[in-house]
Amino acid sequence: MKINFLYIFLLITFFTFAQEQKMSDAEIISFKKNVEKESKNTQTLKTDFVQYKHMDFLSKDIESSGKMAFKSPNMLLWHYLKPYNYSVIFKNSKIYINDQGQKSTVDAKSKMFEKMNKMIVGSVSGNMFDDKEFTISYFKTKDFYIAKFVPKTSTLKKYIKQVELYFSNQNYSVSQVKLIEPSADYTKIIFKNKVENAKIDESVFTN
Amino acid sequence: MPKLMNRFLLISILSLHVFSCKSYQIPDAELVSKQVESIENKYFSNLETDYIYKAQISVYDNNLSGIFIAKRINPTTHRVALTTDFGNTLFDFEIAENSFKVNYVIPDLNNPFIKSTLKKDFRLLLKNNFKIDNQLKTKDYDVYKSKKEFIFVNQNNSIQKITTSSGSKEKRTIVFDAKNTTFAENITITHYNIPLEIKLSQITNTN
């Protein structure tokens, strides 16, 4: 009997620590302040990333990987290296694509593109706390602070169910992004080998 | 005079009808005796395999790139999806010979003509078994006619091309570039009545 109680107690304790806990109001204020400070201090960002696309009917997630570069306030390079060479640059309201040597440009002036652009740049830099566009809830685990964003507008809801940003609780920078679609399929991006405020030439943001 | 005019008109209409009913002819093909009752397309037939391709779609003056995913989910049905390189799902269908289910499609592609075109393309691409009406032979191929489809089998006994005809013309062609008889490395779907081409290149999923 004693052993069973101990076992159950340990299991409950384990699951409590592994689960997310909601942040208190005071914790949310402190967290947002720290993220804002970190974001303001970040002029450039270089990182490797691994991306997993999860669809329920597949036997395994589709994996791709590459490098990302960000220059404040809103220049972003997303360069896939595996399993194919493909890069996208967000710059000056335009999207520059280099698809295995084939180059094209998309004028991102539509409202939807602007919102998506703002969301992608915001999710990378951690600067996404827009209460007008999203209902935001805050959680913490042993290793992360988590902000969950649910779109408010019906237009965005047709594309996205929820975006989750995982912040390192060591330095308040984004270490994971999870984009959940209306079907519940999702894309998870994990950042590795992050370097902040290294010199990045503007020529990096040309295709 | 009116009787002569009517007769002339009737003959013209009948001639037009006869000429427009002329079926698609393969150049330099001779009819041979039918050797098989059916042909199997093995390229998307394995229930265990996730078929993942890099997709490049050109339609009118627009180019779209993404990841094409197909999986046979039961003996009669395939699940087919297209995502952007970032992982956003553009469409997610379930396709069988006699059914078509839309799990998800982004608003921009939610158009009856687009869905119908994609349905017909992928139904042909994924069709596992063709019942043969006639057999022909050219210098390089054994050609099997199944209703309006012509299946070109090369000297390695692999399906190299499938053409759908409409009247006397080609309507749609699927070309398979395959060293492997069960998972084609490259596939091109070309339309002759609308400026639409879909190119698929196999991806090795490193996950």
Side-chain angles (χ1 to χ4, degrees):
Chain A
M1 266 306 250
K2 266 193 188 167
I3 291 170
N4 281 343
F5 269 119
L6 182 63
Y7 179 66
I8 289 164
F9 174 74
L10 282 171
L11 259 182
I12 291 168
T13 313
F14 173 76
F15 278 116
T16 306
F17 275 108
Q19 268 175 358
E20 296 166 2
Q21 287 180 301
K22 274 202 140 176
M23 284 194 220
S24 66
D25 289 345
E27 281 173 326
I28 292 170
I29 292 169
S30 165
F31 164 70
K32 282 169 79 171
K33 234 188 209 158
N34 281 305
V35 167
E36 209 176 326
K37 189 175 156 196
E38 169 67 20
S39 176
K40 269 199 179 119
N41 288 339
T42 304
Q43 297 307 309
T44 69
L45 207 57
K46 277 201 300 188
T47 181
D48 300 334
F49 69 86
V50 184
Q51 178 179 302
Y52 301 96
K53 169 68 182 184
H54 175 91
M55 299 188 88
D56 257 347
F57 67 96
L58 294 176
S59 58
K60 53 187 179 182
D61 293 351
I62 301 171
E63 183 181 330
S64 49
S65 60
K67 294 182 181 296
M68 189 272 283
F70 167 73
K71 191 162 185 170
S72 182
N74 54 15
M75 275 198 283
L76 183 65
L77 162 71
W78 207 268
H79 189 178
Y80 291 91
L81 292 163
K82 278 185 188 168
Y84 47 80
N85 204 317
Y86 176 91
S87 64
V88 183
I89 293 169
F90 298 85
K91 189 169 86 170
N92 303 328
S93 299
K94 280 192 182 350
I95 299 173
Y96 301 88
I97 295 165
N98 186 334
D99 185 356
Q100 296 173 112
Q102 228 178 346
K103 296 184 186 181
S104 57
T105 308
V106 178
D107 206 331
K109 278 196 180 139
S110 79
K111 271 211 157 157
M112 178 48 59
F113 260 126
E114 268 179 42
K115 282 190 180 174
M116 295 294 282
N117 187 20
K118 199 175 162 195
M119 203 177 70
I120 290 167
V121 169
S123 66
V124 160
S125 63
N127 187 11
M128 221 177 113
F129 300 115
D130 185 347
D131 287 13
K132 289 194 284 318
E133 296 279 357
F134 299 97
T135 306
I136 312 171
S137 49
Y138 301 87
F139 302 85
K140 60 182 181 182
T141 67
K142 188 166 70 72
D143 298 311
F144 300 109
Y145 295 114
I146 306 168
K148 298 189 182 182
F149 301 78
V150 175
K152 283 182 174 171
T153 63
S154 56
T155 320
L156 207 50
K157 273 182 180 179
K158 286 177 190 165
Y159 299 88
I160 295 161
K161 184 177 174 185
Q162 183 165 289
V163 179
E164 297 178 359
L165 299 188
Y166 290 69
F167 295 80
S168 153
N169 60 11
Q170 302 298 306
N171 59 22
Y172 297 96
S173 75
V174 178
S175 57
Q176 287 185 37
V177 178
K178 189 174 179 184
L179 200 148
I180 305 170
E181 295 177 303
S183 63
D185 291 331
Y186 61 82
T187 303
K188 186 162 76 175
I189 301 169
I190 299 174
F191 298 119
K192 299 177 180 185
N193 308 322
K194 249 188 184 181
V195 176
E196 286 184 24
N197 294 326
K199 189 173 184 302
I200 299 182
D201 203 80
E202 283 216 7
S203 61
V204 163
F205 302 99
T206 50
N207 255 337
Chain B
M1 272 303 272
K3 250 192 183 171
L4 198 62
M5 278 299 287
N6 283 344
R7 193 173 289 179
F8 178 74
L9 201 57
L10 186 62
I11 292 167
S12 301
I13 290 168
L14 278 172
S15 307
L16 197 63
H17 183 69
V18 162
F19 283 118
S20 69
C21 278
K22 194 175 172 187
S23 56
Y24 173 64
Q25 302 294 315
I26 297 168
D28 303 323
E30 57 171 307
L31 196 64
V32 297
S33 56
K34 196 166 73 165
Q35 315 241 308
V36 294
E37 291 303 316
S38 66
I39 287 283
E40 195 190 345
N41 178 0
K42 294 182 187 172
Y43 291 127
F44 292 93
S45 61
N46 192 323
L47 281 157
E48 310 300 319
T49 305
D50 298 340
Y51 296 95
I52 317 278
Y53 286 85
K54 180 86 172 73
Q56 281 167 316
I57 301 173
S58 62
V59 54
Y60 293 93
D61 289 326
N62 300 302
N63 293 305
L64 172 66
S65 153
I67 300 180
F68 173 83
I69 301 154
K71 181 145 189 175
R72 194 174 187 187
I73 57 174
N74 63 52
T76 61
T77 309
H78 283 83
R79 188 92 175 247
V80 171
L82 183 74
T83 76
T84 65
D85 296 279
F86 285 112
N88 312 93
T89 304
L90 298 176
F91 60 74
D92 175 357
F93 303 142
E94 284 176 35
I95 300 178
E97 190 63 22
N98 299 308
S99 67
F100 177 69
K101 183 182 170 198
V102 178
N103 291 320
Y104 177 76
V105 62
I106 59 164
D108 312 63
L109 296 179
N110 196 6
N111 165 292
F113 177 71
I114 293 174
K115 284 189 289 190
S116 171
T117 304
L118 293 174
K119 176 183 77 177
K120 288 174 188 168
D121 281 359
F122 298 137
R123 194 172 262 162
L124 183 63
L125 178 71
L126 302 164
K127 187 169 174 170
N128 181 240
N129 197 284
F130 295 85
K131 190 164 168 296
I132 303 305
D133 303 323
N134 292 314
Q135 186 170 338
L136 301 105
K137 196 166 176 62
T138 68
K139 186 166 75 73
D140 298 314
Y141 302 101
D142 291 319
V143 185
Y144 302 90
K145 186 172 180 296
S146 172
K147 293 184 186 171
K148 288 184 183 174
E149 270 91 49
F150 292 84
I151 301 111
F152 292 71
V153 176
N154 62 24
Q155 282 149 15
N156 296 328
N157 215 28
S158 301
I159 295 178
Q160 191 161 322
K161 185 166 85 167
I162 303 175
T163 291
T164 306
S165 63
S166 175
S168 61
K169 296 186 178 170
E170 281 176 296
K171 190 173 175 184
R172 177 193 292 110
T173 295
I174 303 180
V175 175
F176 301 92
D177 171 16
K179 294 184 192 65
N180 186 330
T181 53
T182 55
F183 197 154
E185 283 85 20
N186 297 291
I187 300 172
T188 306
I189 306 174
T190 306
H191 287 254
Y192 297 98
N193 56 346
I194 46 172
L196 167 63
E197 186 176 73
I198 301 172
K199 287 186 177 174
L200 307 176
S201 306
Q202 193 191 108
I203 288 174
T204 307
N205 196 6
T206 54
N207 191 11

